[in-house]
Amino acid sequence: MNLLLKSKALHLNSEIKITGSKSETNRLLLLQALYPNISLENTSNSDDSEVMSSALSTINQQPTTTNQIIDIHHAGTAMRFLTAYFASQENRIVTLTGSSRMKERPIKILVEALQQLGAKIDYLENDGFPPIKITGQKLTNNKVSLPANVSSQYISALLLIAPKLQNGLELTLIGEITSVPYIKMTLNLLQEIGVETAFIGNIIIVNPKTQNLKPQSITVESDWSSASYFFSILALSEVGSQITLSSYKQNSLQGDSALVEIYKKLGIETHFDGNKMTLVKQPNFNPNPSDSEQAKQTLNLDLNNTPDIAQTIVVTCLGLGIGCHLTGLHTLKIKETDRLEALKTELSKLGASISVTDESLTLAPSNKINPNQTIATYNDHRMAMAFAPLALKTNINIENAEVVSKSYPDFWNDLKYLGFEISEF
């Protein structure tokens, strides 16, 4: 499905409810599998969470001696979390596979960490990559170390199964830690269900809690990554425009809540009222700077803790005519696509002057945007959604727009609700 986006008379005094965080939902689904007395509300309706939920429910209906094949398609979080989960399920045999892109995404660091704990995992095609065959074991070792600058999903995968391990887990991270908020999110969710944890320096300790929990219900906060696209829409809108989003917490566990402070620099004030937040475009930001003003308006950000919002931010800066220099982006090269190269290619179509390294992106300020360009999405949901707000500046075409279902299936309907004109081409 290819979509043409135009912005007409937008209804920018609207309220939109966004479903639960994919990051929180997938962590809680795994914890629910370990502790069935947990019930969940406001879970994500994303493809990734549906895949995770389906895999966990399907496997529990099969005999333990059956080699169950589970295809997680493009769901990287599910691949990492399920690898750890099934490795800890004694006598359960599972083959995890996925899309062609998933078979190019490395998993060796997580597999080696699990093997340190006593896991039995075999590669079926290429060493270090899915598909993998997992023969569940009783994991009795409790000490493991791995590089600290890897995807936080590797770390969270180990932490989530830790309380069910006989001796818990002592995890040592070597070097500078990446995506600390996602690690803290995992630890906070463990603490919420009653698991004792400690995070001191580069060592994380999770105490065992092998007995069943008392029944408890947890409400998942809405997804901040999904909210980022509305921050971008407001930043590119007229002064006084506003959108209310729910359900969000001012003291969120999600790292992408850094959007509040980042977009304050781009003219957006955020106001909280209960579980709702209202974004308002302020008059103190010039969306059409002169050449001399542009030179001063380059946004410098270290996104080491929040790499998933990099695409949104760089597209916002392009729309505003300002530059940006974003660092801490090394994990973007192993996402659904190499997001840095994808951004360079697609932004260049729009006339941007952009350069990338293995961990950074630099956009030069410019007031020119080439109109009516077609954006390729590379099977990456965030490419589709990050570029959509540019329809406020020029008509824009999005290829394979259905890819948004990976994290935000209602995205295009919500944009139509705001007044965007969206048609297939």
Side-chain angles (χ1 to χ4, degrees):
M1 177 179 68
N2 301 330
L3 296 182
L4 167 63
L5 275 64
K6 302 177 182 179
S7 65
K8 295 297 184 181
L10 297 190
H11 314 303
L12 291 182
N13 193 6
S14 303
E15 181 172 336
I16 293 175
K17 181 173 176 58
I18 297 175
T19 63
S21 158
K22 176 168 67 79
S23 298
E24 284 191 30
T25 295
N26 287 352
R27 285 162 171 77
L28 288 165
L29 284 171
L30 194 149
L31 290 176
Q32 186 182 51
L34 295 173
Y35 300 102
N37 282 343
I38 297 173
S39 60
L40 304 177
E41 297 180 10
N42 194 38
T43 54
S44 170
N45 63 349
S46 64
D47 284 354
D48 278 16
S49 294
E50 293 293 334
V51 165
M52 183 92 173
S53 179
S54 176
L56 290 167
S57 60
T58 300
I59 196 71
N60 290 328
Q61 297 169 9
Q62 302 294 323
T64 57
T65 55
T66 303
N67 182 3
Q68 182 75 22
I69 298 174
I70 295 178
D71 186 346
I72 53 79
H73 307 292
H74 301 301
T77 309
M79 174 61 75
R80 279 92 179 246
F81 288 3
L82 292 175
T83 295
Y85 173 75
F86 290 125
S88 68
Q89 298 302 292
E90 203 168 351
N91 299 319
R92 175 74 70 185
I93 303 173
V94 173
T95 293
L96 281 181
T97 188
S99 65
S100 57
R101 172 59 181 169
M102 185 56 61
K103 293 180 180 181
E104 297 173 349
R105 298 178 69 177
I107 199 166
K108 189 171 187 176
I109 291 173
L110 175 59
V111 168
E112 289 180 343
L114 289 164
Q115 288 170 337
Q116 287 182 54
L117 297 176
K120 180 174 172 53
I121 303 173
D122 299 300
Y123 299 110
L124 298 181
E125 293 181 10
N126 296 315
D127 186 63
F129 299 87
I132 53 177
K133 181 181 178 182
I134 305 167
T135 304
Q137 307 287 313
K138 184 176 183 179
L139 305 181
T140 54
N141 296 340
N142 74 324
K143 292 187 178 181
V144 66
S145 60
L146 72 166
N149 65 346
V150 299
S151 167
S152 63
Q153 291 177 8
Y154 296 153
I155 298 166
S156 288
L158 296 169
L159 298 178
L160 288 166
I161 64 167
K164 275 290 189 175
L165 304 185
Q166 180 178 327
N167 299 308
L169 181 69
E170 181 179 312
L171 173 60
T172 300
L173 301 174
I174 302 167
E176 183 181 355
I177 303 172
T178 297
S179 300
V180 172
Y182 286 101
I183 298 171
K184 289 185 176 179
M185 175 196 292
T186 303
L187 294 175
N188 276 313
L189 291 173
L190 287 169
Q191 291 162 10
E192 190 171 343
I193 67 170
V195 174
E196 295 181 0
T197 73
F199 189 178
I200 303 170
N202 277 42
I203 296 176
I204 304 174
I205 296 173
V206 179
N207 290 341
K209 195 174 188 68
T210 54
Q211 72 277 20
N212 288 330
L213 304 175
K214 293 180 180 179
Q216 56 183 290
S217 177
I218 299 176
T219 300
V220 182
E221 182 187 16
S222 294
D223 191 77
W224 276 88
S225 302
S226 297
S228 72
Y229 312 112
F230 298 98
F231 278 87
S232 185
I233 287 169
L234 261 292
L236 301 181
S237 298
E238 298 296 323
V239 168
S241 301
Q242 66 178 50
I243 301 174
T244 299
L245 304 174
S246 60
S247 303
Y248 289 95
K249 303 173 185 175
Q250 190 164 5
N251 58 343
S252 175
L253 300 178
Q254 297 176 49
D256 288 346
S257 60
L259 286 161
V260 171
E261 292 303 316
I262 291 171
Y263 271 81
K264 187 180 291 185
K265 300 173 183 178
L266 299 175
I268 304 301
E269 287 290 337
T270 307
H271 306 283
F272 289 87
D273 182 10
N275 70 342
K276 297 180 180 181
M277 67 175 179
T278 299
L279 317 180
V280 183
K281 177 64 177 287
Q282 298 298 303
N284 57 355
F285 183 84
N286 180 8
N288 297 298
S290 65
D291 290 343
S292 60
E293 290 172 325
Q294 275 181 338
K296 302 174 185 176
Q297 289 188 292
T298 293
L299 188 66
N300 292 285
L301 295 172
D302 180 354
L303 298 181
N304 188 51
N305 289 333
T306 55
D308 279 346
I309 56 176
Q311 289 147 294
T312 309
I313 292 168
V314 68
V315 172
T316 304
C317 290
L318 177 71
L320 290 172
I322 66 173
C324 65
H325 178 63
L326 310 179
T327 59
L329 306 181
H330 56 281
T331 60
L332 295 191
K333 298 190 74 64
I334 59 168
K335 296 288 187 176
E336 286 79 354
T337 184
D338 180 338
R339 287 179 172 167
L340 292 172
E341 288 299 327
L343 281 169
K344 182 179 179 180
T345 299
E346 302 310 308
L347 287 165
S348 295
K349 291 179 184 177
L350 292 159
S353 175
I354 181 171
S355 60
V356 300
T357 69
D358 284 345
E359 69 89 39
S360 69
L361 178 154
T362 303
L363 173 74
S366 173
N367 276 327
K368 297 178 182 178
I369 299 177
N370 295 335
N372 302 310
Q373 295 299 306
T374 298
I375 303 300
T377 53
Y378 306 84
N379 287 319
D380 185 350
H381 55 133
R382 300 205 189 284
M383 288 296 289
M385 293 185 284
F387 279 85
L390 277 186
L392 288 160
K393 298 298 180 180
T394 179
N395 294 347
I396 195 159
N397 304 309
I398 305 291
E399 288 185 344
N400 302 318
E402 70 280 359
V403 73
V404 302
S405 64
K406 179 177 170 62
S407 64
Y408 190 173
D410 298 326
F411 181 71
W412 301 120
N413 285 334
D414 285 345
L415 259 58
K416 287 179 182 177
Y417 176 69
L418 291 179
F420 283 83
E421 183 180 307
I422 301 177
S423 57
E424 291 193 40
F425 72 94

